[in-house]
Amino acid sequence: MNNAQQTARVGLFFILGLALTWVTFETLSGGTLFKNKGYTLVAGFESLKELKEGDEVRMAGVKIGSVEKTRLAGRRAEAVLRIDADAKIASDATASIVMAGLIGTNYIGIDLGTAGAAPLADGAEIQTRVTPDINTIMTEIGNLGQKLEGALSAFGTTLNGDGKGGGLFQKLDKIVTDNSDRVSTTMTNLQEITTKLNKGEGTLGKLINDPALHDELIAAVAEIKSTASQAKGFITDAQGIIAQVKSGQGALGTLVYDETMANNLRVTVTNIRSVSDKLAKGEGTLGKLINDDTLYNTAQSTLKKADRALDGLGDSGPITAVGIVANSLF
Amino acid sequence: MPCSSHTRNPFTAIETPAVGVTVENLSKSFGDHVVLHDVSFSVEPGEIFVLMGPSGTGKSVLLKHIVGLEAPSSGRVLVNGHDALAKETREQVRMAMVFQSGALFNSLTVYDNLALYPREHRVSNEAGIREKVMHALQILSLEDTAQKFPSELSGGMKKRVAIARALVMEPQLMLYDEPTSELDPVMSATISEIIASLKDEYHVTTLVVSHDRDLALNIADRVGIMMDGRLIFLGTPAELREPKDAQVAGFLYPKIDLKHPRFKKLET
Amino acid sequence: MKQLNSILEGFGSTLQLLVRTFSYIGSLPRQRARFIEQCYLIGYTTLPIVAILSFFIGAVLALQAGYSMQNFGAKQFIGSLVGLSMARELGPVMVAILLAGRVGSAITAELASMKVYQEVDALETMNIPPARMLVLPRLAAVLVMVPVLAIIADLVGWFGGAIVAKYTSFISIEPEAYFSVLRRYMKFQDVMNGLIKAETFGFGVVLVCCNIGLNTRGGPREIGAAVTRAVVVSLILILVLDYFVTKILL
Ligand SMILES: Nc1ncnc2c1ncn2[C@@H]1O[C@H](COP(=O)(O)OP(=O)(O)OP(=O)(O)O)[C@@H](O)[C@H]1O
Ligand SMILES: [Mg+2]
């Protein structure tokens, strides 16, 4: 081999080495040496957490730059972001540190801001927002669990009783059992009435001619209606009773013929009314459940907190986070 | 750097004066083995000094002391007044040595062997070097071997290349370790002529270690004979023709006695 | 005692050789041809073996890491493990060991035979210092070529690991994931440290091999002994230097 050939090979070899070193440098340090294109923004945070130089900057999930430098500036930490020249960031957009996984993969997420806002200029400072990091979330989830447990046991006591006064269901049960004879008689009667009405024997005018009874009936029914709608969803038994009474409305005219029947009906109506009155006044546990909103509020706020906490997990969400934990552990 | 400022054509007049060598009470031993015993002599500038002696008496070791490759156990060697061991001596005095074994650079071609010294010392440009080298090769009938490697040469050719390499250096002090030992009679005569003409034309101080009686008697200014590490004779070739010392006579003119061979005397 | 003495002697003569060689540094431009030739021998011709070895070292690293890490579910960190081990430790050490075996032994053999056959003596009488003509171009060449070899070893090792990580059934990590973890947990500083280590080792190996070669005495048998000693001393030197250089760089 002649000298020129040897020199050429050595030269090529050396250049190859330089090129590879350069490529490695570019890859490992996020290409900050020769790629000083684009513009910079400053993002100040209370803490940069796991963020390090070379991490990505994404807008709505699209990579638009990288973290060029991290530094302490007085009482806060600053990240200098190098943004691609063609990526325009609205002046009201906010940046936050986002975790892409539990293993410390972070990036700066920037939202889109409003459409008309002026774009940020080179060197400008971008607004930031604090997002909970994984530690905060874990603590929050712990607290949430405790609150939920407390709320549920209170709810359980309400429904099943604490052993002394009896719970809501026991009381409901009692109401229905106490009046069961009358209710069933009423039901039988109503059935007969319906049958008669079906046969065309109904005289609806009679009911209309008796305004007192009519008014009373209307008032009672209205009350039942509202009670029923309030209680709906909680006590299907009660709903069933009320629904049957309700369906009997058209056939009430026949009650006029039968004095006893009318009396019976009146008593029944009074009973029902007293029940619904009690419910409306908030007497009894069911009444309390319907009218007293403390319990409701407690449950509501617990759920809200859970909601907020879960929101904090950002793009990936807790499911992904937990999924990653699970994946990385098993 | 010696003489790099003036370029000289090969075998033209030399500007630098000839140098002398002085050996003062030189002793050398390797471990317990004493090779040189208190050797003293001097080589005058521009003189041809031939050193003779039986094999293994320390002639080569003596030459190595003169070029500074060995350090004396006691005594000293001066070259042109400077200690032979000092680094400056080699820079001030151009010395060339023809090693007994040739000591050619085996990884270089014959041409590159010869061109190494002028290239390293930037004696002239590549064309000038080429001229010098080819001239030296011609003198020793080696033109055809220029591109060969030492391993492709015969023993005598190697010796001639070694001599040519020394010539190219244009030395002030030339040391030959048995230059004619492997050569045919004609080539031996040629070498003798070269040594003599170098002295006549350029006043090169020459020290030849040789067993070649013709060479010693014909071209030497003075002859020294060493035996067992001691210098036992120092004189002119004329004195050597009729040696008074029996030991010297026995060494220079041994009789080949087939009736009473020497090796058989050892047995009795 | 005698052994300790010879170790100290070797150490001293090596340092002396280094100092002497450095004093001739100005002659390097003139020795361009020799320098290029040594670059060719040290760098270019060593490349294939470096590439093959580092590929398989990266591969086996990934394999072993995958096997032992699957129990912890930490497989996805293979990229960073292979990347860091290759760049910080195995790449430099492997390049240095190959240099000792392939280049160092050749240097010692060449210089020892030059010494034994009096070529070195001839150089000295020609007032051409062996340190300048024989040692300087080799040291300069190793300084220039070793980082190239080391970076190639690193990259080839990484790719070896990536391929194994993808195609091994119990690992099966995509190259994208492998390299993204590698990038995440590695700084250029890590590679740089490795290059500095390789440079130190390579330089030490060549220097030691030159010194042992130039101090050879005797005949052909001693040439063989010198080569053996040069390789052994080089290997010890690499590992001892490795500890100290790593400590300094940490
Ligand atoms: N480096 C060395 N180490 C130990 N002994 C040596 C060394 N060099 C030479 N000798 C010994 O010194 C003595 C003289 O050797 P030298 O080579 O000078 O002989 P010589 O006179 O040149 O013989 P010849 O005419 O055969 O060349 C020999 O006995 C040899 O064994
Ligand atoms: Mg001899």
Side-chain angles (χ1 to χ4, degrees):
Chain A
M1 180 179 333
N2 63 40
N3 270 345
Q5 218 176 338
Q6 204 173 54
T7 310
R9 288 191 188 184
V10 169
L12 268 180
F13 186 64
F14 187 68
I15 290 168
L16 172 75
L18 283 184
L20 289 180
T21 313
W22 182 71
V23 166
T24 316
F25 177 79
E26 282 291 290
T27 322
L28 293 184
S29 29
T32 47
L33 186 59
F34 300 107
K35 263 200 260 167
N36 272 348
K37 289 169 261 150
Y39 59 99
T40 55
L41 294 177
V42 177
F45 291 94
E46 193 180 304
S47 158
L48 290 181
K49 290 161 188 161
E50 303 272 304
L51 195 74
K52 60 186 183 63
E53 285 169 23
D55 280 340
E56 290 182 356
V57 175
R58 296 192 204 169
M59 182 179 241
V62 181
K63 182 174 189 267
I64 56 161
S66 61
V67 176
E68 185 173 84
K69 203 170 150 40
T70 55
R71 64 185 178 207
L72 262 182
R75 299 277 304 152
R76 67 173 195 170
E78 280 182 354
V80 180
L81 316 178
R82 180 152 295 277
I83 309 294
D84 296 345
D86 51 358
K88 296 272 169 276
I89 296 176
S91 53
D92 61 351
T94 56
S96 56
I97 298 172
V98 183
M99 283 196 317
L102 285 185
I103 51 171
T105 319
N106 288 277
Y107 62 87
I108 294 242
I110 297 179
D111 60 31
L112 292 166
T114 48
L120 283 169
D122 186 23
E125 177 155 357
I126 187 167
Q127 298 170 34
T128 57
R129 176 161 53 88
V130 178
T131 46
D133 63 3
I134 186 67
N135 293 328
T136 327
I137 290 165
M138 284 308 178
T139 325
E140 197 82 27
I141 288 175
N143 291 345
L144 182 69
Q146 274 173 356
K147 279 183 191 161
L148 273 175
E149 209 171 307
L152 285 176
S153 71
F155 194 63
T157 318
T158 313
L159 291 182
N160 298 317
D162 49 13
K164 281 179 277 167
L168 175 65
F169 285 132
Q170 280 113 310
K171 286 188 177 156
L172 270 177
D173 228 26
K174 198 159 177 288
I175 295 167
V176 176
T177 327
D178 286 353
N179 296 298
S180 68
D181 284 352
R182 292 189 210 166
V183 170
S184 63
T185 320
T186 311
M187 290 305 133
T188 326
N189 289 344
L190 280 175
Q191 211 160 6
E192 279 173 30
I193 292 164
T194 324
T195 322
K196 281 182 181 167
L197 199 69
N198 277 347
K199 286 179 191 156
E201 291 170 20
T203 45
L204 203 63
K206 289 268 164 67
L207 185 62
I208 295 160
N209 288 337
D210 190 347
L213 184 62
H214 174 255
D215 284 346
E216 216 174 1
L217 200 64
I218 293 290
V221 166
E223 243 170 318
I224 289 166
K225 214 174 174 179
S226 77
T227 311
S229 74
Q230 274 176 25
K232 195 159 87 181
F234 279 103
I235 329 119
T236 30
D237 275 17
Q239 204 174 18
I241 297 164
I242 290 156
Q244 284 182 32
V245 172
K246 231 165 137 187
S247 70
Q249 187 183 4
L252 283 175
T254 46
L255 293 176
V256 178
Y257 285 117
D258 197 330
E259 203 67 24
T260 12
M261 186 74 66
N263 285 340
N264 273 353
L265 184 63
R266 199 169 275 157
V267 174
T268 308
V269 165
T270 322
N271 274 344
I272 290 173
R273 203 168 158 190
S274 82
V275 172
S276 66
D277 272 346
K278 277 184 183 165
L279 282 175
K281 280 186 214 137
E283 286 172 19
T285 320
L286 186 60
K288 283 212 179 100
L289 183 63
I290 291 160
N291 294 306
D292 185 354
D293 55 8
T294 349
L295 185 63
Y296 171 76
N297 282 345
T298 316
Q300 194 77 355
S301 82
T302 311
L303 289 172
K304 262 187 198 151
K305 273 181 199 158
D307 237 6
R308 239 184 298 132
L310 297 180
D311 268 351
L313 283 169
D315 287 10
S316 54
I319 305 307
T320 324
V322 171
I324 289 164
V325 175
N327 268 343
S328 57
L329 293 181
F330 305 106
Chain B
M1 205 89 9
C3 210
S4 53
S5 52
H6 20 234
T7 48
R8 297 176 308 157
N9 286 322
F11 311 112
T12 54
I14 193 163
E15 295 97 351
T16 39
V19 298
V21 177
T22 312
V23 178
E24 288 175 0
N25 308 106
L26 178 66
S27 294
K28 175 72 181 179
S29 45
F30 294 102
D32 296 338
H33 181 195
V34 182
V35 178
L36 296 174
H37 292 275
D38 195 25
V39 177
S40 294
F41 68 97
S42 65
V43 182
E44 303 303 322
E47 181 184 41
I48 296 178
F49 189 101
V50 177
L51 196 61
M52 301 177 82
S55 184
T57 48
K59 304 179 300 290
S60 299
V61 170
L62 182 64
L63 283 191
K64 283 192 186 170
H65 279 86
I66 295 172
V67 289
L69 290 174
E70 293 280 3
S73 299
S74 73
R76 59 177 186 162
V77 178
L78 298 177
V79 176
N80 201 21
H82 308 287
D83 194 314
L85 280 177
K87 205 171 159 241
E88 300 81 59
T89 313
R90 266 188 221 146
E91 282 166 11
Q92 284 162 4
V93 179
R94 251 188 341 277
M95 292 185 264
M97 173 151 160
V98 178
F99 285 83
Q100 192 167 2
S101 60
L104 301 178
F105 303 119
N106 286 304
S107 57
L108 301 179
T109 61
V110 168
Y111 182 91
D112 288 335
N113 261 279
L114 268 64
L116 182 70
Y117 179 88
R119 277 181 186 153
E120 281 296 309
H121 292 275
R122 287 189 283 188
V123 170
S124 67
N125 59 14
E126 198 60 35
I129 290 170
R130 180 160 199 88
E131 197 188 328
K132 270 187 222 285
V133 168
M134 292 319 287
H135 186 75
L137 288 175
Q138 253 166 17
I139 290 173
L140 292 157
S141 329
L142 288 166
E143 303 97 313
D144 299 340
T145 63
Q147 293 311 317
K148 287 190 171 154
F149 284 92
S151 56
E152 300 165 319
L153 304 179
S154 75
M157 287 162 105
K158 281 184 196 163
K159 188 121 254 170
R160 281 183 282 154
V161 172
I163 295 168
R165 188 175 71 179
L167 293 179
V168 170
M169 289 168 66
E170 297 168 10
Q172 295 163 275
L173 173 62
M174 188 80 149
L175 306 165
Y176 301 89
D177 198 343
E178 308 199 8
T180 58
S181 60
E182 287 168 283
L183 304 179
D184 61 88
V186 178
M187 192 47 79
S188 298
T190 309
I191 300 293
S192 299
E193 286 163 13
I194 291 170
I195 295 170
S197 71
L198 282 176
K199 176 227 166 180
D200 290 343
E201 290 169 41
Y202 315 120
H203 306 288
V204 177
T205 308
T206 313
L207 203 159
V208 188
V209 169
S210 182
H211 301 301
D212 187 340
R213 208 165 45 210
D214 291 335
L215 182 146
L217 294 176
N218 286 311
I219 64 165
D221 291 315
R222 282 193 299 153
V223 180
I225 295 181
M226 278 181 74
M227 240 170 235
D228 296 328
R230 290 187 177 82
L231 198 66
I232 58 156
F233 174 87
L234 191 62
T236 60
E239 291 173 287
L240 210 60
R241 278 178 225 273
E242 286 114 29
K244 297 184 181 74
D245 191 296
Q247 218 183 352
V248 176
F251 171 68
L252 276 180
Y253 307 101
K255 253 198 250 142
I256 299 175
D257 188 349
L258 294 176
K259 300 236 171 67
H260 310 282
R262 265 171 283 259
F263 69 95
K264 284 207 169 151
K265 281 181 196 164
L266 292 174
E267 290 165 13
T268 54
Chain C
M1 195 61 219
K2 209 177 143 203
Q3 245 142 4
L4 185 75
N5 216 38
S6 78
I7 289 173
L8 287 178
E9 211 177 283
F11 197 67
S13 66
T14 309
L15 284 184
Q16 271 182 346
L17 179 65
L18 177 64
V19 172
R20 253 184 294 144
T21 308
F22 263 127
S23 71
Y24 299 119
I25 200 117
S27 73
L28 195 59
R30 279 206 286 129
Q31 304 202 57
R32 214 184 115 252
R34 241 171 253 147
F35 167 73
I36 299 274
E37 190 191 352
Q38 291 304 325
C39 282
Y40 184 78
L41 292 175
I42 292 174
Y44 192 84
T45 59
T46 316
L47 176 62
I49 180 90
V50 163
I52 292 171
L53 220 72
S54 51
F55 179 87
F56 282 103
I57 285 192
V60 84
L61 256 184
L63 205 57
Q64 291 282 26
Y67 174 75
S68 47
M69 281 154 94
Q70 62 178 341
N71 300 327
F72 312 110
K75 285 193 311 192
Q76 60 266 57
F77 295 114
I78 284 178
S80 65
L81 189 134
V82 173
L84 281 171
S85 337
M86 250 352 254
R88 293 190 63 98
E89 188 62 44
L90 291 172
V93 168
M94 191 200 62
V95 166
I97 286 176
L98 285 180
L99 272 186
R102 197 181 177 286
V103 176
S105 59
I107 289 176
T108 306
E110 188 178 349
L111 298 197
S113 79
M114 285 185 81
K115 176 74 196 233
V116 165
Y117 295 115
Q118 293 190 305
E119 293 180 38
V120 173
D121 287 350
L123 281 179
E124 301 235 29
T125 59
M126 288 175 159
N127 196 22
I128 301 170
R132 183 180 82 192
M133 185 179 142
L134 301 176
V135 183
L136 181 64
R138 289 179 165 85
L139 280 185
V142 83
L143 280 185
V144 172
M145 286 295 120
V146 158
V148 179
L149 288 176
I151 192 97
I152 290 174
D154 286 354
L155 292 179
V156 172
W158 294 350
F159 277 100
I163 290 171
V164 164
K166 178 165 165 57
Y167 291 107
T168 306
S169 56
F170 64 82
I171 304 176
S172 48
I173 285 174
E174 286 301 310
E176 293 84 55
Y178 173 95
F179 279 110
S180 103
V181 174
L182 185 146
R183 276 173 52 194
R184 179 142 303 281
Y185 289 97
M186 277 191 75
K187 297 190 296 288
F188 186 66
Q189 190 64 40
D190 294 318
V191 176
M192 210 51 210
N193 275 1
L195 296 190
I196 291 172
K197 277 168 87 167
E199 193 85 303
T200 320
F201 302 161
F203 189 82
V205 164
V206 169
L207 185 65
V208 159
C209 289
C210 282
N211 190 52
I212 289 177
L214 286 178
N215 282 317
T216 309
R217 286 177 201 288
R221 182 198 275 263
E222 275 73 19
I223 298 175
V227 171
T228 309
R229 191 164 63 249
V231 172
V232 170
V233 172
S234 295
L235 293 184
I236 294 171
L237 178 85
I238 289 166
L239 296 181
V240 172
L241 270 182
D242 189 20
Y243 176 80
F244 288 106
V245 177
T246 308
K247 193 144 196 205
I248 290 167
L249 289 178
L250 273 180

